[in-house]
C-alpha cells in the first residue's frame, strides 16, 4: 500500500511539474532570429594580426603585465592637485559608441587607459533617475539631495522658498575644502557657468533653474532672500574666491537693458552688472575678464591671479559646430579652456582643485543628436589627455566620471568597422531599415513613426548629418536621462581607491583623502 501511495504521489508530482513547466527550449528558427547569421560586408577584412591566436594571447599578456606592475607600485603620494572631469550624461554606451566613432571598436577613449575603473550609483534621494543638480551635490559635496536642488541636503524640497535659506541645510563642496587648505580652485564648463553641474562647486539653492533673479520671483519667492546662482558665484565666499571660471552664460550676469560685447541683451531683472561687480571686487589684484577666444589667448596667464571668461550669452557652441559654423575664432574649445585653467592654477605652490565639465554631451542626447554627443565626448577625451600631459601622475589625481546616463543604445548587428552613425545592415521585420544608435524615447520618434504611414523608411536619409535626430521608441520633446550606474576612471595618487561599485557620494571623499583635505583628510579620519 505504501509503495502504491508513494508511486502515485510521485506520478502526480511529475505530471503537475510537466503541466506547470512546459518545455521552453527555443526552436531552430527562434534561435536563428536571436542570433542571425548576417551576410558578409564585402569591403571588410580582418587585420592579419587578428587572425592569429597569438595576437590575442599577447594582448592579454600585455594587459596582465601592466596590471601586475601597477599593483606592485601603488601610488599613495598625497595629491597636491585634483582635477575632476565630468562628462555630463556620458553613459557607458556613449563611451562605447565614441570608440566606434573614432574608427573601430578596438580603439580606446583616452581616459579608458587609466589604470583603475569603477562604477558609481547615481540615484537622488527622491528619484531613481537623477538630474545634474542632485548628482552635482553628490559627487562634489558627498551628500545626496533631492532632484533639482544644488548644494543642500534632502531636507530641502525643490522650489521651497525658505528651506535653503537655512544654512544648516547647506553642504560644502570639495572646492571649499581645497580653498580652506590653501589651495586654489576653479571651474571650466561648456555649459553656462551657472548651470547645474558647475553650480555644485559653489552654490546652495532650492532650484537649479534659479540661475538669475527672474525665475525666483516667477516661482513666488524672494530674490533678496534666495540669492540666484549668478550672484552666488560673484558674492559667496566660495564663488568669489574661485581663481578660474570659464564657460558660457553672460546673459545671466547683466540686466535686461544692458547689451553685452556682442550686442545681446542680458536677462537680469535687477539691472545689475555682476561682471563689473566681479572686476571691481578684485581691483587690487591681477584679475581679468574675457569674453572671446582672442581675449583669452592675449592674456599672460603666468601673471594672472583671477580669470573670468564668459564666451557666450548662454551655453558654448557644440564642439563640432565650432568648425561647421566657423566659430573656432570666436569661442575657445574645452581643451583650450582646460589648458588655460591649469596654467593659472598651477601658479599656486600649495596646489589646486579644478572641475571641468563637458556639458553638451547631455544636451545633444536630449535632442537625440547622437553625432554631436559623440563629437563632444571625443573632445572631452582630448581635454583629459591634454591635462594628463600638463601634469604629473605622482602629484596630480585626475578623476573622470559622469553624473548620469542617457537612454541611447547600440542595437542591431552592425559590422565591425561600420559607421556607427549609419543604418543597421539588417532590416526589421517590416523590411524597413533602422539606425544603429537609437533612444528609448525622445524627439527622434519623428524619424521613427508616422501616424499616416507607420514606420518611416530611412532609406537614402543621411543619418550622419549632425542635425539628424536618431530614432526613438517613445515620443517626447526631450529625451530623458537613464538610471543606471556610470563609469569612474582614475589616474594619479590613490587611483586604486576608485575601483569597484560605490555611491556617487564617495567620489569627493576619496579625492579629499588623496589630497588630505576637508572632512575626509587622513589625519581627521585617524583621530
Amino acid at each position: 500500500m505504501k509503495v502504491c501511495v508513494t508511486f502515485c504521489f510521485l506520478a502526480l508530482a511529475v505530471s503537475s511539474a510537466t503541466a506547470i513547466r512546459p518545455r521552453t527550449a527555443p526552436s531552430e528558427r527562434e534561435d536563428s532570429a536571436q542570433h542571425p547569421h548576417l551576410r558578409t560586408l564585402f569591403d571588410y577584412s580582418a587585420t592579419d594580426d587578428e587572425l592569429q591566436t597569438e595576437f590575442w594571447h599577447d594582448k592579454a599578456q600585455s594587459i596582465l603585465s601592466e596590471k601586475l606592475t601597477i599593483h606592485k607600485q601603488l601610488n599613495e603620494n598625497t595629491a597636491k592637485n585634483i582635477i575632476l572631469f565630468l562628462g555630463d550624461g556620458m553613459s557607458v554606451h556613449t563611451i562605447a559608441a565614441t570608440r566606434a566613432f573614432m574608427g573601430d571598436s578596438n580603439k580606446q577613449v583616452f581616459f579608458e587607459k587609466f589604470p583603475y575603473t569603477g562604477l558609481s550609483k547615481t540615484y537622488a534621494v527622491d528619484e531613481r533617475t537623477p538630474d545634474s543638480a542632485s548628482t552635482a551635490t553628490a559627487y562634489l559635496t558627498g551628500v545626496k539631495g533631492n532632484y533639482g536642488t544644488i548644494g543642500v541636503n534632502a531636507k530641502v524640497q525643490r522650489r521651497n522658498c525658505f528651506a535653503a535659506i537655512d544654512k544648516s541645510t547647506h553642504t560644502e563642496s570639495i572646492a571649499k575644502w581645497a580653498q580652506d587648505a590653501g589651495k586654489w580652485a576653479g571651474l571650466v564648463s561648456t555649459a553656462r557657468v551657472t548651470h547645474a553641474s558647475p553650480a555644485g562647486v559653489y552654490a546652495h539653492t532650492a532650484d537649479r533653474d534659479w540661475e538669475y533673479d527672474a525665475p525666483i520671483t516667477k516661482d513666488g519667492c524672494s530674490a533678496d532672500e534666495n540669492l540666484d546662482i549668478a550672484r552666488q558665484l560673484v558674492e559667496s565666499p566660495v564663488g568669489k574666491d574661485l581663481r578660474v571660471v570659464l564657460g558660457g552664460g553672460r546673459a545671466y550676469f547683466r540686466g535686461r537693458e544692458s547689451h553685452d560685447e556682442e550686442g545681446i541683451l542680458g536677462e537680469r531683472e535687477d539691472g545689475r552688472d555682476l561682471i563689473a561687480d566681479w572686476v571691481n571686487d578684485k581691483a587690487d589684484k591681477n584679475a581679468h575678464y574675457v569674453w572671446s577666444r582672442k581675449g583669452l589667448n592675449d592674456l599672460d596667464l603666468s601673471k594672472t591671479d583671477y580669470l573670468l571668461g564668459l564666451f557666450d550669452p548662454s551655453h558654448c557652441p557644440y564642439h563640432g559646430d565650432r568648425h561647421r559654423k566657423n566659430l573656432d575664432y570666436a569661442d575657445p574649445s574645452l581643451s583650450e579652456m582646460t589648458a588655460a585653467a591649469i596654467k593659472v592654477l598651477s601658479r599656486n605652490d600649495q596646489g589646486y582643485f579644478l572641475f571641468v565639465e563637458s556639458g553638451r554631451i547631455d544636451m545633444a542626447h536630449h535632442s537625440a543628436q547622437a553625432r554631436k554627443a559623440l563629437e563632444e565626448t571625443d573632445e572631452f577625451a582630448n581635454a583629459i589627455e591634454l591635462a594628463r600631459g600638463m601634469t604629473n601622475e605622482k602629484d596630480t589625481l585626475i578623476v573622470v566620471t559622469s553624473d548620469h546616463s542617457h537612454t541611447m543604445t547600440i542595437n542591431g548587428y552592425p559590422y565591425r568597422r561600420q559607421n556607427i552613425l549609419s543604418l543597421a545592415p539588417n532590416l526589421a521585420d517590416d523590411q524597413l531599415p533602422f539606425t544603429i544608435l537609437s533612444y528609448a524615447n525622445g524627439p527622434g520618434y519623428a524619424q521613427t513613426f508616422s501616424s499616416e504611414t507607420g514606420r518611416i523608411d530611412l532609406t537614402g536619409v543621411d543619418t550622419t548629418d549632425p542635425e539628424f535626430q536618431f530614432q526613438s521608441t517613445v515620443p517626447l520633446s526631450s529625451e530623458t536621462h537613464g538610471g543606471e550606474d556610470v563609469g569612474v576612471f582614475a589616474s594619479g595618487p590613490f587611483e586604486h581607491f576608485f575601483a569597484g561599485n560605490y555611491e556617487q557620494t564617495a567620489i569627493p571623499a576619496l579625492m579629499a583623502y588623496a589630497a588630505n583635505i576637508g572632512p575626509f583628510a587622513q589625519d581627521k579620519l585617524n583621530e
Side-chain angles (χ1 to χ4, degrees):
M1 184 66 176
K2 288 183 179 180
V3 174
C4 181
V5 171
T6 303
F7 176 82
C8 292
F9 177 80
L10 289 174
L12 179 60
V14 171
S15 176
S16 299
T18 303
I20 295 172
R21 296 192 297 272
R23 293 181 61 191
T24 58
S27 67
E28 185 176 334
R29 177 178 297 179
E30 289 171 332
D31 192 60
S32 178
Q34 292 167 1
H35 309 96
H37 180 73
L38 302 176
R39 62 183 177 84
T40 301
L41 191 65
F42 293 109
D43 62 357
Y44 167 77
S45 60
T47 62
D48 290 341
D49 287 341
E50 291 185 350
L51 299 177
Q52 307 301 321
T53 300
E54 291 78 8
F55 169 78
W56 299 106
H57 283 188
D58 289 346
K59 192 170 188 177
Q61 180 64 48
S62 175
I63 294 171
L64 177 59
S65 299
E66 182 180 354
K67 297 290 185 186
L68 291 171
T69 301
I70 292 171
H71 182 70
K72 292 177 181 177
Q73 300 175 353
L74 294 181
N75 184 348
E76 295 187 335
N77 300 329
T78 298
K80 176 183 177 181
N81 313 308
I82 300 172
I83 307 177
L84 175 60
F85 279 92
L86 191 283
D88 198 315
M90 186 182 68
S91 62
V92 172
H93 288 109
T94 303
I95 298 171
T98 301
R99 292 187 213 124
F101 181 72
M102 292 165 58
D104 195 354
S105 297
N106 67 358
K107 301 285 187 181
Q108 276 190 304
V109 180
F110 177 76
F111 51 84
E112 290 184 290
K113 301 174 185 177
F114 282 5
Y116 288 92
T117 301
L119 291 170
S120 77
K121 295 179 279 189
T122 64
Y123 64 92
V125 168
D126 60 342
E127 295 285 350
R128 177 168 291 158
T129 301
D131 74 323
S132 294
S134 59
T135 51
T137 306
Y139 63 73
L140 285 167
T141 78
V143 178
K144 279 189 183 283
N146 292 321
Y147 188 101
T149 65
I150 302 172
V152 292
N153 62 29
K155 293 180 181 178
V156 178
Q157 299 295 319
R158 189 173 188 181
R159 296 192 182 91
N160 186 298
C161 296
F162 307 104
I165 298 174
D166 181 355
K167 291 187 178 181
S168 70
T169 66
H170 293 186
T171 60
E172 293 183 345
S173 77
I174 189 172
K176 183 181 188 305
W177 304 340
Q179 290 172 340
D180 290 346
K183 298 180 184 295
W184 287 2
L187 69 85
V188 170
S189 178
T190 53
R192 295 187 295 267
V193 296
T194 53
H195 208 235
S197 301
V201 172
Y202 59 88
H204 312 279
T205 182
D207 198 308
R208 59 176 290 171
D209 294 335
W210 293 355
E211 295 183 60
Y212 61 110
D213 55 346
I216 299 177
T217 56
K218 182 179 179 182
D219 285 340
C221 301
S222 168
D224 293 323
E225 294 181 342
N226 295 273
L227 296 188
D228 61 76
I229 296 172
R231 280 188 63 187
Q232 292 189 54
L233 177 58
V234 175
E235 299 175 6
S236 75
V238 177
K240 70 189 302 183
D241 200 35
L242 291 174
R243 295 295 181 133
V244 177
V245 177
L246 300 175
R250 276 198 309 265
Y252 293 170
F253 289 81
R254 290 193 172 120
R256 292 180 174 177
E257 304 300 321
S258 300
H259 292 86
D260 69 7
E261 294 80 1
E262 296 179 289
I264 299 171
L265 288 171
E267 296 284 351
R268 300 192 63 83
E269 287 184 337
D270 59 14
R272 292 183 59 179
D273 187 338
L274 297 180
I275 296 174
D277 291 347
W278 183 91
V279 172
N280 292 334
D281 179 67
K282 296 168 175 59
D284 59 339
K285 301 176 178 67
N286 195 347
H288 299 281
Y289 161 68
V290 294
W291 59 274
S292 67
R293 181 171 180 259
K294 182 180 185 303
L296 180 63
N297 290 339
D298 287 347
L299 284 180
D300 183 353
L301 298 177
S302 68
K303 298 179 180 179
T304 299
D305 295 324
Y306 291 87
L307 174 59
L308 173 64
L310 300 176
F311 303 106
D312 197 276
S314 186
H315 304 302
C316 296
Y318 286 109
H319 183 70
D321 286 347
R322 292 180 65 252
H323 306 297
R324 287 185 288 266
K325 298 182 180 180
N326 297 315
L327 298 172
D328 303 65
Y329 70 94
D331 297 285
S333 67
L334 180 63
S335 293
E336 290 170 330
M337 290 192 286
T338 300
I342 292 174
K343 288 176 182 177
V344 173
L345 296 175
S346 295
R347 297 184 58 232
N348 184 20
D349 292 337
Q350 297 186 62
Y352 58 84
F353 168 77
L354 173 62
F355 174 74
V356 181
E357 181 203 23
S358 178
R360 305 219 67 183
I361 299 172
D362 172 77
M363 299 174 201
H365 277 320
H366 279 305
S367 298
Q369 292 176 321
R371 173 170 178 167
K372 291 185 178 182
L374 303 188
E375 290 173 337
E376 292 294 308
T377 306
D378 191 26
E379 167 61 9
F380 181 57
N382 291 337
I384 297 166
E385 184 172 10
L386 180 147
R388 186 71 288 175
M390 293 180 67
T391 56
N392 193 319
E393 293 178 4
K394 293 182 179 180
D395 68 3
T396 302
L397 171 63
I398 296 181
V399 178
V400 181
T401 189
S402 177
D403 45 358
H404 54 74
S405 68
H406 273 272
T407 71
M408 188 197 78
T409 189
I410 304 170
N411 76 109
Y413 291 92
Y415 297 113
R416 165 75 178 274
R417 295 186 182 88
Q418 185 177 353
N419 188 334
I420 194 71
L421 303 173
S422 64
L423 299 172
N426 49 310
L427 299 177
D429 287 349
D430 58 7
Q431 298 305 301
L432 293 176
F434 56 95
T435 53
I436 295 170
L437 298 178
S438 65
Y439 293 85
N441 56 63
Y445 185 80
Q447 306 289 347
T448 309
F449 187 83
S450 166
S451 58
E452 296 179 356
T453 61
R455 272 246 300 141
I456 293 175
D457 187 353
L458 294 179
T459 303
V461 174
D462 182 9
T463 57
T464 67
D465 187 316
E467 303 302 321
F468 178 79
Q469 294 180 309
F470 281 73
Q471 292 186 306
S472 307
T473 306
V474 176
L476 285 177
S477 59
S478 178
E479 180 265 352
T480 71
H481 296 168
E484 65 269 20
D485 298 350
V486 295
V488 185
F489 308 83
S491 168
F494 289 92
E495 57 194 11
H496 49 286
F497 274 22
F498 293 86
N501 181 280
Y502 37 82
E503 295 285 1
Q504 200 167 39
T505 50
I507 293 173
L510 299 176
M511 292 189 295
Y513 183 88
N516 199 28
I517 60 175
F520 301 97
Q522 298 167 28
D523 53 351
K524 290 186 178 181
L525 292 179
N526 293 330
E527 289 178 355

